[in-house]
Amino acid sequence: MIESADYIIIGGGSAGCVLANRLSANPANRVVLLEAGGEGSGWRFRMPAGAYLLIGDPKVDWMYRTEPDPSLRGRISTWNAGRALGGGSSINGMIYIPGARADYDNWERLGCFGWSWDDVAPYFRKSEKFAGPPSQSHSQEGLLGVSPLSIAHPFADAFVDACVHRGVKRVEDYCAGNIDGAFLNYVTQWGGQRSSTAHSFLREARGRNNLDVITNAKVDRVEITNGRAIAVHYEAAGKPHRIVARQEIIICAGTLQSPPLLMRSGIGAANQLMEHGIDVVVDRPAVGKNLQEHASFPISFFTRVPTQNALLRPWKMPGHLLDYLFRGRGLLTASPVEAMAYLRSRPDLEQPDIKLQFAPMVFDVAKRKPHERSGISVFANVSSPKSRGEIRLRSADPADAPVIAHQTLGHPDDMTTMISGLKQVVEILKSPPLSDIIEEPCLPTRIPTDDDQWEEALRTFTSIGFHAVGTCRMGSDDDAVVDPQLRVRGIVGLRVIDASVMPVMPAANTNAPTIMIAERGADLILAAASAKPDRIHQSNNIGGDTSKVSA
Ligand SMILES: Cc1cc2nc3c(=O)[nH]c(=O)nc-3n(C[C@H](O)[C@H](O)[C@H](O)COP(=O)(O)OP(=O)(O)OC[C@H]3O[C@@H](n4cnc5c(N)ncnc54)[C@H](O)[C@@H]3O)c2cc1C
């Protein structure tokens, strides 16, 4: 039975596994990682195509249900999230993209001092073990395997060519801070296997004597006394447990679970906490607010030449399996998305505001499986949406899923941007060389001809992009949940380090940015400990604004 540790990490997802590794690298630190899900081991977690079997499996996917979304005609959506070591990185689509210089320079402008592109770029490189050619924007020294696509359908190149035909630039290295154009994307894979953070950061670290990883351990709350986080309460095998933190507690439960954890610990909007019988420690209405998610709309066309749909026939599977098992390659190592492009909804915009993801495949929505016919799909997002939602507590019981109240297309500008993007997608798909291979549309079955029809299609078919962020917003203002050192404002010895701290969604998929946040967060923790080992005990600012406690 573990009674205490220097650092207790709550949630072993994309961020939590990075922190477990970096904090336990110093043998003097005793580290405990608590993960509500299981080990996440087995072939489904290593084989890239295993994602199709993991997403939607309630044993490894939280499968949260939203409230009816007024912006989507009251539809209720399922929001997937990894429920195993590695979290999202264990079940995601493996697209690797840091985002744009402008994203992080904007964070800095918003009061996230120390998070500009020049500050964060070294942390993207620190985590990365790149299988492609050496370049200044990549590193081969990190732990997270990042590779060029091991297999790409020729239509991925054709998509980039069609974008270029429409005047979009071809981007040679999109990891250098410039994403303005079209490119084939890299993936978090190594040697044809998925690189989750559980595999790349935790596997070897688990051999260290000073790191304990406890799975199937669901954290109820953080115990706070006199403004200082002192212990974690969790349940495992039906029994309650308590571990005391000698240094810090780090919440890494993700955008949807970190706010409820703070709220159950007494940090949140006082009226909401009191409604659920929770003692208020810090009245912080911003906890759970600022929820952002990529609205995602697929446009798909059938093609007259075979795509992955033809290759995915059941009788072809034994061949793919042998290819994967003996050569570590083939269709089962493919990423769902093979190319991306960024567009502008208006030509005068300084930065692109529309993100496209290309897949050489078309889905049969009614049958919920790949279509019998071959086709291609383009998923369009507003890169950094203006629509906002919130996470609320359903009850004080940790077994209850949070309330997810979002308006995916709630902001009128997002609707306008999406319509502009989708019209451009149709033009791209009808441009050479794609124009030679596409047949009739699959989804929507008839391409809208005016904005009203586009809006109707958007409200009917838009789904999520799997990129929820923002509910424990970082900032320097009085309303922010964490300060730029990722410390929970008003509490000593407690940080949030995961996708929830992003103030604004970067124009990117969110796994690499979350891993970067964890890398930098680990450095902030270690620097604070070495600068002032007894910092927590010396603080005379308990219960006040800890952004004034030097790190
Ligand atoms: C289906 C899917 C596809 C995606 N595709 C991509 C992609 O291709 N590229 C990309 O860049 N991004 C992608 N993403 C997004 C990316 O994976 C996430 O942004 C990222 O994983 C978030 O990391 P996190 O550490 O914030 O949270 P998570 O990785 O979700 O980690 C949170 C962890 O905390 C655990 N936890 C929660 N509550 C508790 C509790 N009370 N006690 C203990 N443990 C708890 C969870 O089980 C989980 O393991 C995808 C996400 C999903 C779900």
Side-chain angles (χ1 to χ4, degrees), residues 134-170:
S135 99
Q136 292 227 317
S137 61
H138 292 283
S139 155
Q140 286 155 338
E141 311 298 322
L143 297 171
L144 180 74
V146 177
S147 303
L149 298 163
S150 65
I151 173 171
H153 195 281
F155 291 173
D157 276 321
F159 170 74
V160 173
D161 290 344
C163 289
V164 171
H165 186 87
R166 295 287 313 164
V168 178
K169 283 174 270 182
R170 189 185 300 274

Side-chain angles (χ1 to χ4, degrees), residues 398-419:
D400 279 344
V403 173
I404 303 173
H406 193 46
Q407 298 224 30
T408 312
L409 286 169
H411 198 291
D413 288 356
D414 289 349
M415 176 59 79
T416 312
T417 305
M418 281 297 260
I419 292 175

Side-chain angles (χ1 to χ4, degrees), residues 241-432:
H241 300 268
R242 177 177 181 268
I243 306 185
V244 170
R246 291 191 291 267
Q247 292 281 345
E248 294 202 37
I249 295 167
I250 305 128
I251 299 180
C252 308
T255 297
L256 308 178
Q257 285 282 12
S258 288
L261 234 151
L262 285 177
M263 292 175 196
R264 290 197 298 270
S265 310
I267 304 160
N271 55 352
Q272 216 192 110
L273 303 186
M274 288 187 290
E275 201 181 294
H276 295 295
I278 298 167
D279 291 339
V280 179
V281 178
V282 176
D283 179 12
R284 185 76 65 217
V287 173
K289 298 279 199 307
N290 193 43
L291 173 63
Q292 297 156 63
E293 166 61 307
H294 275 141
S296 178
F297 187 94
I299 292 194
S300 51
F301 274 75
F302 294 116
T303 52
R304 57 182 119 256
V305 262
T307 61
Q308 281 187 3
N309 292 80
L311 298 169
L312 283 168
R313 304 268 188 266
W315 61 89
K316 297 199 169 167
M317 281 302 161
H320 296 317
L321 199 57
L322 289 176
D323 212 13
Y324 169 69
L325 290 174
F326 292 107
R327 296 159 72 205
R329 32 188 245 221
L331 194 68
L332 300 183
T333 67
S335 154
V337 170
E338 298 189 351
M340 298 175 70
Y342 285 83
L343 311 176
R344 284 169 173 72
S345 60
R346 295 193 328 261
D348 60 304
L349 289 178
E350 206 173 305
Q351 297 296 326
D353 58 346
I354 299 159
K355 174 160 84 72
L356 305 184
Q357 302 188 154
F358 172 84
M361 213 239 298
V362 56
F363 214 69
D364 187 332
V365 178
K367 295 187 183 156
R368 302 169 78 92
K369 62 179 189 114
H371 210 286
E372 307 267 301
R373 286 179 65 186
S374 279
I376 56 176
S377 306
V378 176
F379 296 84
N381 312 141
V382 177
S383 324
S384 296
K386 293 184 182 168
S387 302
R388 294 288 183 273
E390 65 175 330
I391 300 294
R392 296 193 297 270
L393 267 190
R394 195 171 300 278
S395 80
D397 183 349
D400 279 344
V403 173
I404 303 173
H406 193 46
Q407 298 224 30
T408 312
L409 286 169
H411 198 291
D413 288 356
D414 289 349
M415 176 59 79
T416 312
T417 305
M418 281 297 260
I419 292 175
S420 163
L422 293 172
K423 287 178 179 170
Q424 294 181 63
V425 170
V426 174
E427 294 307 317
I428 288 168
L429 292 176
K430 290 185 173 169
S431 299

Side-chain angles (χ1 to χ4, degrees), residues 13-15 35-36 62 84 88 92-95 219 466 498-499 509-511:
S14 293
E35 165 56 40
W62 289 95
N92 70 14
M94 294 162 291
I95 299 165
V219 174
F466 307 118
D498 59 24
N509 307 44
T510 44
N511 192 41

